Amino acid sequence: MRPTHSADVAKIDAASVQVVFTAETRKNVLVVPVGALLALSEGGYALQRPGGKLVGVTTGLFAKGLVEVRGAGVEEGGVVVTAS
């Protein structure tokens, strides 16, 4: 039940609740599954293309199993390898 008015819960004296806070949102960003990130030995992260080429990325916001990425050669519709 998602109450919309205080009267909806007026007679409830105890209940389990789930609260979700949105701390930050981003629009018009590229995201990949977190499992697509490869940690580099020199530091930082990369994405792997199906042919094996690594593309260095800078990460941004992490949320719900996805991570914001940006970098040279990272574009919408690009295919990356992910962990299974």
Side-chain angles (χ1 to χ4, degrees):
M1 176 178 142
R2 178 177 278 181
T4 54
H5 304 287
S6 59
D8 296 341
V9 294
K11 294 182 181 181
I12 298 174
D13 62 359
S16 295
V17 297
Q18 180 179 15
V19 179
V20 177
F21 293 100
T22 302
E24 189 173 345
T25 59
R26 304 270 175 94
K27 293 184 180 184
N28 301 315
V29 298
L30 297 175
V31 296
V32 296
V34 172
L37 289 178
L38 294 174
L40 301 174
S41 60
E42 62 271 18
Y45 294 97
L47 299 175
Q48 182 179 2
R49 300 288 188 189
K53 179 181 177 183
L54 297 181
V55 179
V57 294
T58 301
T59 59
L61 187 66
F62 285 75
K64 296 185 178 181
L66 299 173
V67 58
E68 173 188 358
V69 293
R70 58 189 170 281
V74 178
E75 68 282 330
E76 184 176 1
V79 178
V80 297
V81 176
T82 62
S84 53

